[in-house]
Amino acid sequence: MRHRVEGRKFGRETDARRLMMRNLVRSMVEHGQINTTLAKAKEMRRHVERLVTYGKKDTVHSRRLAYSVLGDRDLVKKLFDEIAPAFADRNGGYTRVIKAGFRRGDNAPMAIIQFVEETAVTKKKGSIKAKDLNK
């Protein structure tokens, strides 16, 4: 029975599962949204929302907790300076999971997970050249 059993295993051992979640969370903080399977997106949402809550507290201890997950000072700085202030007046629900059809190879349900606030992660502006517009 699965009574009071929390989390998904994804057919991986504990260390591999922990690293997979850590990599997904890092990508989410870095890019603002990622495309993954529905089960991974639902499980990852727990970790990302906890990190945003750390960012809203903005204490030395919460920065250390965030660093223990992200493992990169630049990502911690981005979380605390850009992402978390956008959610200052929100009490949870910082991410959304959008179903995105099925993967071609194995028909796995896919999803896009992204932050609710579009201003949370600034998008990189690319220059459009006149040559690109003529194509």
Side-chain angles (χ1 to χ4, degrees):
M1 289 187 212
R2 286 190 45 87
H3 297 306
R4 297 179 59 96
V5 176
E6 201 170 310
R8 295 170 175 87
K9 292 197 175 185
F10 300 114
R12 290 172 167 81
E13 293 182 3
T14 305
D15 293 336
R17 186 169 58 244
R18 187 177 298 133
L19 285 175
M20 178 188 67
M21 277 299 131
R22 183 177 175 177
N23 287 331
L24 287 171
V25 169
R26 289 182 66 169
S27 296
M28 177 77 177
V29 171
E30 185 177 353
H31 299 292
Q33 75 174 21
I34 59 171
N35 189 10
T36 184
T37 63
L38 183 62
K40 288 178 187 174
K42 286 181 177 181
E43 185 68 22
M44 187 182 72
R45 177 174 44 189
R46 300 170 49 212
H47 301 285
V48 173
E49 298 217 356
R50 179 167 293 158
L51 278 179
V52 174
T53 304
Y54 290 158
K56 286 172 61 174
K57 291 179 186 174
D58 198 14
T59 61
V60 175
H61 181 61
S62 61
R63 282 183 183 266
R64 287 178 177 164
L65 288 173
Y67 182 78
S68 70
V69 175
L70 296 174
D72 185 9
R73 293 178 193 271
D74 294 332
L75 290 179
V76 172
K77 184 170 177 54
K78 182 175 183 177
L79 174 69
F80 280 78
D81 294 344
E82 297 174 18
I83 298 172
F87 298 108
D89 57 345
R90 187 182 274 270
N91 290 330
Y94 310 120
T95 58
R96 74 168 59 100
V97 176
I98 302 168
K99 293 182 180 181
F102 298 93
R103 188 160 50 197
R104 181 173 179 175
D106 59 355
N107 207 26
M110 299 298 288
I112 298 170
I113 181 167
Q114 61 188 357
F115 288 110
V116 174
E117 302 285 332
E118 286 83 21
T119 59
V121 178
T122 57
K123 300 191 179 197
K124 297 177 184 175
K125 296 181 181 177
S127 62
I128 299 175
K129 298 179 181 177
K131 200 186 320 181
D132 295 337
L133 295 176
N134 293 334
K135 290 184 180 181

